[in-house]
């Protein structure tokens, strides 16, 4: 085989791999749809590369293996998509979470590039709400000089989460290798502190957009509920894996701070989503992470929107 044709094949293979794994992160036309009075767009922040061992280490190995195989996660690492939701109302452009920024993983922090590629001017964003204070949701708030990326926006943070990351218990609640999460959360919270509004479950911080309590992944993790139709919940990291979170909601991923509470939250949220047939947007579900939840046997399944 000549060098040329070999190179062509390699390039084609690389392109196919790229298309399958990473295209949503760079797609110029992101997934967009209308819900009631809202226009939603899901923008990829890229993806995280995480150890497969983080996925339910407590699960019975044989059952775990079946689900990992079904998810095509048989290696030691997997790619976890990161889907940021942008909501347009009559008066506001609202971002739910801000991605990883440039200090977490080289495969993430693509939000601003992808917004630009989609023709969205980030300076028009008026409000930001954070589901929780983990790096992939919060660290995009500042640039490499620790300055606000969106200096004119108002930021909304759940009070329990704000207090947790600033308090002494933050370092006690995390394994040592993740102590950097606390430093990063405090750095970003310090940057937004003059522009932050503290919210709690039940607060309708924009008409038709309400904060709901979904604790456990972190102490103060919240989701957002949008009125209209059968409802829509932007679920942050309450449901992170397209198979495990739905079929085995009691299994405990390493990333959850309060594992029993996170499992109870998953059950409750899944129950509600399946009963109401509300849409779900999951931050780490396969891009765009939009779908509905159905009951399946004694558990649930995620049905992605087509
Ligand atoms: Zn996350």
């Amino acid at each position: 085989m000549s060098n040329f044709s070999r190179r062509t094949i390699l390039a084609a293979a690389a392109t196919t791999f790229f298309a399958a794994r990473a295209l949503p992160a760079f797609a110029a036309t992101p997934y967009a749809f209308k819900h009631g009075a809202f226009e939603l767009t899901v923008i990829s922040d890229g993806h995280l590369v995480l150890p497969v061992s983080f996925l339910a280490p407590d699960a019975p190995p044989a059952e775990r293996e079946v689900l990992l195989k079904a998810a095509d996660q048989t290696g030691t690492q997997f790619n976890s998509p990161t889907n940021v939701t942008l909501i347009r109302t009559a008066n506001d452009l609202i971002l739910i979470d801000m991605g990883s920024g440039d200090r977490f993983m080289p495969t993430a922090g693509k939000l601003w590039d992808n917004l630009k590629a989609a023709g969205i001017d980030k300076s028009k964003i008026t409000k930001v709400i954070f589901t929780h204070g983990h790096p992939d949701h919060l660290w995009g708030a500042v640039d490499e000089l620790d300055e606000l990326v969106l200096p004119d926006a108002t930021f909304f943070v759940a009070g329990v989460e704000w207090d947790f990351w600033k308090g002494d218990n933050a370092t006690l609640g995390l394994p040592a290798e993740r102590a950097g999460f606390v430093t990063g959360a405090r750095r970003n919270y310090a940057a937004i502190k003059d522009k932050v509004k503290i919210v709690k479950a039940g607060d309708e911080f924009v008409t038709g957009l309400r904060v709901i309590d979904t604790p456990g992944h972190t102490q103060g993790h919240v989701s957002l509920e949008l009125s209209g139709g059968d409802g829509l919940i932007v679920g942050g990291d309450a449901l992170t894996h397209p198979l495990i979170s739905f079929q085995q909601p009691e299994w405990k991923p390493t990333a959850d701070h309060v594992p029993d509470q996170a499992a109870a939250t998953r059950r409750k949220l899944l129950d509600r989503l399946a009963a109401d047939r509300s849409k779900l947007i999951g931050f780490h579900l396969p891009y765009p992470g939009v779908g509905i939840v159905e009951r399946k046997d004694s558990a649930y399944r995620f049905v992605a929107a087509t």
Side-chain angles (χ1 to χ4, degrees), residues 48 80-82 97 131-132 134-137 217 236-237 240 283-284:
L48 308 182
S80 180
T82 47
D97 292 328
T131 58
H132 64 297
H134 273 161
D136 49 324
H137 302 256
H217 178 67
D237 282 8
T240 50
F283 191 87
H284 293 291

Side-chain angles (χ1 to χ4, degrees), residues 35 50 62 73 78 130 150 185 216 223 227 229 237 264 277 282 289 295 305:
H35 179 86
L50 298 171
Q73 291 168 343
F78 72 103
F130 296 101
L150 303 176
S223 299
S227 62
D237 282 8
R277 295 191 71 80
R295 286 183 197 284

Side-chain angles (χ1 to χ4, degrees), residues 23-274:
L23 186 61
F26 303 97
T29 309
Y31 188 88
F33 63 101
K34 282 199 168 144
H35 179 86
F38 305 104
E39 278 177 38
L40 286 86
T41 308
V42 182
I43 312 279
S44 173
D45 188 47
H47 65 269
L48 308 182
V49 180
L50 298 171
V52 168
S53 61
F54 275 24
L55 298 168
D58 65 324
E63 287 180 51
R64 184 173 180 272
E65 201 176 315
V66 170
L67 282 191
L68 290 180
K69 212 168 184 177
D72 198 19
Q73 291 168 343
T74 52
T76 55
Q77 295 185 321
F78 72 103
N79 291 347
S80 180
T82 47
N83 309 316
V84 178
T85 301
L86 183 76
I87 302 174
R88 192 183 292 277
T89 72
N91 304 314
D92 280 302
L93 194 55
I94 304 157
L95 202 55
I96 303 185
D97 292 328
M98 291 185 82
S100 292
D102 52 12
R103 271 176 274 194
F104 188 44
M105 288 188 187
T107 54
K110 316 293 184 195
L111 175 63
W112 309 125
D113 286 347
N114 287 339
L115 271 174
K116 197 173 173 187
I120 298 161
D121 177 357
K122 68 174 187 289
S123 72
K124 299 282 197 295
I125 294 169
T126 52
K127 294 182 169 74
V128 177
I129 182 157
F130 296 101
T131 58
H132 64 297
H134 273 161
D136 49 324
H137 302 256
L138 173 63
W139 287 14
V142 298
D143 63 16
E144 67 278 10
L145 299 173
D146 287 344
E147 284 173 6
L148 287 177
V149 176
L150 303 176
D152 300 323
T154 303
F155 300 87
F156 297 83
V157 177
V160 176
E161 193 70 0
W162 183 259
D163 292 342
F164 168 74
W165 289 103
K166 290 171 86 72
D168 294 338
N169 282 338
T171 42
L172 297 175
L174 281 180
E177 71 271 16
R178 281 191 270 155
F181 284 20
V182 179
T183 317
R186 289 175 181 172
R187 180 177 69 233
N188 284 273
Y189 278 178
I192 65 171
K193 74 174 190 321
D194 294 333
K195 317 206 67 186
V196 81
K197 289 202 167 132
I198 298 297
V199 292
K200 60 181 185 320
D203 286 356
E204 194 169 336
F205 71 102
V206 165
T207 306
L209 190 40
R210 191 187 305 271
V211 179
I212 58 173
D213 250 341
T214 46
H217 178 67
T218 60
Q219 281 71 358
H221 184 281
V222 292
S223 299
L224 287 313
E225 181 189 2
L226 277 68
S227 62
D230 291 332
L232 184 149
I233 291 176
V234 184
D237 282 8
L239 298 158
T240 50
H241 191 281
L243 298 180
I244 293 174
S245 302
F246 297 84
Q247 292 184 32
Q248 299 287 354
E250 271 78 32
W251 290 1
K252 298 183 173 71
T254 303
D256 289 347
H257 286 206
V258 193
D260 288 336
Q261 191 183 38
T265 287
R266 275 192 290 280
R267 262 293 165 190
K268 196 173 150 195
L269 186 60
L270 287 164
D271 234 24
R272 178 182 167 176
L273 287 164

